[in-house]
Amino acid sequence: MTRAKASGGVVAGSWAFAALGGTLVGAALQLHQARLWSAAFYAALFIAGLAGLAVLSRRRWSYLPMFVALACGASAGGGLAGWRAVAYADGALDPALEGRDLQVTGVVAQMPQRNEGGTRFRLDVESARWADERIETSVRVPARIALGWYRDDTSLWGRAPEGRAGGAADAASLHAGERWRLTVRLKAPHGNLNPHGFDNELWMWEQGVRASGYVRTGARDAAPIRLQSTWLHPLERAREAVRDAVFERVADARQAGVIAALVTGDQGAIDRGDWDIFRATGVAHLMSISGLHITMFAWLAAHAVGAAWRRSVRLTLRFPAPQAALVGGVLLAGLYALFSGWGVPSQRTVWMLATAALLRLTGRRWPWPHVWLLIAAVVVAIDPWALMQAGFWLSFVAVGVLFTTGFMRPAGETTGPLLRLLAFFREQWVITLALTPLSLLLFQQVSVVGLLANAVAIPWVTLVITPLAMLGTAVPPLWDLAAWAVQALAVLLKWLAALPYATLSMAAPPAWMAGFGVAGGVLLAMRLPWSLRLLGLPLLLPVLLWQAPRPSAGQFEVLAADIGQGNAVLVRTATHSLLYDAGPRYSLESDAGHRVLVPLLRALGERLDMLVLSHRDSDHTGGAAAVLAMQPQAEVLSSIEANHPLQAVRPNRRCEAGQRWTWDGVDFEILHPAPADYLFFTKPNAVSCVLRIANGRATVLLAGDVERLQEAALVARTLELRADVLLAPHHGSKTSSSAALLEAVRPRIALVQAGYRNRFGHPAREVVERYAAHGVRLVENVPCGAALWRSRAPEEVGCERERNARYWHHRLP
């Protein structure tokens, strides 16, 4: 009888394990859909899956094929994820409203983010109508929108509407919980899409933001009006008050930013330079309210609650201290997550911890893999898109490692303050060890000095800085002590970050190889004999030895990165790489280098030999400093003047017609400008470096921002201009792409790098028609994303938006 019961338990456990895994598989498959099905179909899948699981759970099976439970779980998981996605998609912005002036009334839903350029905030829309008072009809806009109120009246679209005096003061008076009436212009979420890059459209989808835009403050626009203060979003108002109080109290803005981020979760308060240091030393997870941060806080809170609870005999008799510690840790972690903004990573972690705590409180001693899968299934049911986020996997693996190493045991089992402190340090070290390969796989970078930095930073941040920062909300002078502690840590981290080889970068491996690498890291961190732990090393070797594929000798490829309004083209041969232009500067704290090019180059394992900056305009040089910081060996060829700030970053060699070199059987030649052109040019476009790349079978011409006059000169002094691919001059401006140039080049394909709904109207309609009249295929970054062309297949162009199409990606109407 006992053996039969045990056998039945094993079978039941097996199908339950398969069902939980199936829900994750189903949700993952749904997330890879390019287009959504109908809500009714997803509902039918969900109901069918649940019904199947219900039937299976009521029958006493002597044997149950695991694939049946797996299929039912996949049906339920995929159906639920799809049904929610259809509901989200119904809230999209009507394309007819894009770029039109609207008057919206709503409540500021989150604490505003302020910087030198202006204010960014989220607005919960209550009503909307046309800004033209002669049109009385209302319009339907998404329930939550992201807006910018720019101090200099310059938006991220590059627009500069006529300003109104006092606009900056109005923006500064905006606070969470207030109801405002604003004149705005909106657009659908449309982000850059690059290989291995951040998916901003997914992030906005998950945040529930279905439109973005800016506040109109022109002389002809209705003035923004603060209607009233409301009781809505009280936590956001409190967070804003605490953040502002920190900056008023702490004189050093960089130290204040770290304190504000630890207390309120405002990661934007941390200076970008400090983020670079934190990432280089592997302590970035400590400086933001991430899932890992919430997990650490719950661990510490559970021990604190358990210690306090055991001091009372009455409380201990009513409710055991271990259970009280567990409940207290989860509740305090939830409150911390709420006050820090209840961000999506924090929500995921709270649900993880709550699920694990509920299982322990109900006395269910499931094997840890079952608990791990149940936690993941709960989180994915609440937020299916978590599977696409690096934060989910970091939190998920961290929780799993803590399961296997004893984190979820009752808080009273490790007695004595010294033993508990040693256990705390051990858990942090184990987390760091286990997450190192995962970080390498997710971000293609790991800190070599991370173990040393974390050995100091984890106790210092967790036991000193964070408690002082949080207690400062009640006793503000403690923020001064916290600022001193931040400064002391910053000195050490800066020194570590400056060490040679402080970070290790590697190319992004295939998904199957990444899975083996994570398994190897987890195996090394588990509480197993070392003879078994060392089996994780062979699993890591393929990842550590992986090298991204490159063109064969004599061939080359061109990747036109999706960077918005600007140019950035990566050229790769068998052993060499060149970057033509470095994209735009998006704002005072953001540029294409940091956001797109550095992650792209790291994921591809690129070591640049040369950076060519066609001319000085910021949409071509905006990301150059970030790229050069990552690529210290790269030579710079440009037409920028001697006193340009980038000359101080790295001396530039002037590009001149006639310069030639050969890499791996591929010829490179500068065709423009001629030396005499530098003497007479009137604007930077006129001296754009024009680069021709050829291997005898295929040719690419990168034309910068040359205009008709320079195009005519280029045609006149170059005997052979024919090319398979042409980078459209000046982003398809009507001042360029003359008929004479197109007749001389006769391209099959023209690449256009321009921003979505850019203020210049690139590419101009007449230019598009001219290319069509010459039989040229026009490939634009907006509908294509990053465009990849290879010399071995000169008639084909691969589009990132087509290769990795997902239903949340914006499609042009």
Side-chain angles (χ1 to χ4, degrees), residues 580 612-614 638-639 655 670 672-673 687-691 702-704:
Y580 182 86
V612 177
L613 299 175
S614 62
S638 76
S639 64
C655 67
I670 298 294
H672 181 83
V687 288
S688 289
C689 304
V690 176
L691 176 64
L702 306 179

Side-chain angles (χ1 to χ4, degrees), residues 323 336 403:
Q323 282 81 352
Y336 186 28
F403 274 143

Side-chain angles (χ1 to χ4, degrees), residues 235-236 239 242 258-266 285-301 328-343 346-347 349-350 353 461-462 465-471 473:
L235 278 177
E236 289 298 318
R239 292 176 63 221
V242 170
V258 173
I259 295 171
L262 291 174
V263 178
T264 68
D266 182 11
H285 63 281
L286 296 172
M287 302 302 172
S288 61
I289 311 299
S290 63
L292 187 58
H293 197 96
I294 297 293
T295 303
M296 292 179 178
F297 182 87
W299 191 95
L300 189 60
V330 173
L331 289 178
L332 289 175
L335 291 174
Y336 186 28
L338 277 172
F339 189 75
S340 65
W342 197 237
S346 299
Q347 294 177 37
T349 306
V350 169
L353 295 172
V461 172
T462 307
I465 297 177
T466 300
L468 287 173
M470 298 185 70
L471 291 172
T473 58

Side-chain angles (χ1 to χ4, degrees), residues 457-796:
I458 286 174
W460 192 248
V461 172
T462 307
L463 303 178
V464 179
I465 297 177
T466 300
L468 287 173
M470 298 185 70
L471 291 172
T473 58
V475 186
L478 292 179
W479 281 333
D480 298 328
L481 295 177
W484 175 85
V486 170
Q487 176 61 26
L489 180 63
V491 172
L492 173 64
L493 296 180
K494 287 180 181 177
W495 177 75
L496 289 174
L499 292 175
Y501 307 106
T503 60
L504 172 66
S505 298
M506 58 162 286
W512 66 268
M513 195 179 293
F516 280 115
V518 173
V522 172
L523 189 59
L524 284 171
M526 290 177 66
R527 282 187 169 181
L528 295 171
W530 275 106
S531 59
L532 294 178
R533 290 192 193 187
L534 292 177
L535 294 177
L537 292 177
L539 297 177
L540 285 171
L541 283 178
V543 173
L544 297 177
L545 299 177
W546 167 255
Q547 292 185 348
R550 301 190 65 89
S552 58
Q555 302 291 344
F556 67 102
E557 65 183 31
V558 171
L559 177 65
D562 189 6
I563 40 80
Q565 184 67 26
N567 279 152
V569 179
L570 177 64
V571 183
R572 306 169 76 224
T573 67
T575 62
H576 294 272
S577 300
L578 176 148
L579 182 64
Y580 182 86
D581 282 337
R585 188 172 186 84
Y586 303 122
S587 65
L588 294 174
E589 71 275 2
S590 176
D591 58 62
H594 272 96
R595 283 176 50 179
V596 178
L597 299 177
V598 167
L600 176 64
L601 294 172
R602 184 181 294 128
L604 295 176
E606 291 299 331
R607 187 178 183 274
L608 287 183
D609 296 278
M610 183 178 294
L611 171 63
V612 177
L613 299 175
S614 62
H615 61 296
R616 63 163 297 157
D617 285 356
S618 62
D619 57 333
H620 298 254
T621 62
V627 171
L628 291 175
M630 177 208 180
Q631 304 281 345
Q633 76 291 332
E635 178 187 358
V636 182
L637 190 67
S638 76
S639 64
I640 63 177
E641 63 275 19
N643 60 352
H644 192 280
L646 282 174
Q647 293 280 8
V649 175
R650 190 165 306 165
N652 294 194
R653 184 161 59 96
R654 176 180 282 186
C655 67
E656 294 181 351
Q659 293 171 331
R660 299 180 182 179
W661 65 96
T662 300
W663 289 340
D664 305 314
V666 180
D667 297 322
F668 294 76
E669 182 180 4
I670 298 294
L671 302 182
H672 181 83
D677 294 331
Y678 285 100
L679 302 176
F680 306 105
F681 76 93
T682 57
K683 57 182 180 179
N685 289 357
V687 288
S688 289
C689 304
V690 176
L691 176 64
R692 180 169 60 189
I693 310 153
N695 65 353
R697 296 174 295 279
T699 304
V700 172
L701 187 65
L702 306 179
D705 276 3
V706 293
E707 299 182 352
R708 287 195 185 95
L709 187 61
Q710 293 78 46
E711 291 176 355
L714 193 61
V715 170
R717 65 179 175 227
T718 308
L719 294 178
E720 180 56 57
L721 267 181
R722 295 190 63 176
D724 297 276
V725 177
L726 169 68
L727 178 64
H730 203 180
H731 322 286
S733 166
K734 60 184 178 182
T735 63
S736 305
S737 299
S738 62
L741 179 71
L742 297 187
E743 290 170 4
V745 177
R746 297 182 186 178
R748 299 177 180 178
I749 299 165
L751 303 176
V752 177
Q753 290 185 299
Y756 177 60
R757 297 190 63 83
N758 64 86
R759 70 185 177 100
F760 308 103
H762 295 160
R765 178 175 297 180
E766 62 190 76
V767 172
V768 172
E769 294 172 352
R770 189 178 304 141
Y771 277 108
H774 283 77
V776 181
R777 177 188 173 191
L778 206 61
V779 178
E780 301 179 48
N781 273 142
V782 170
C784 177
L788 177 63
W789 175 91
R790 293 184 172 97
S791 60
R792 59 180 173 82
E795 297 182 355
E796 300 176 6

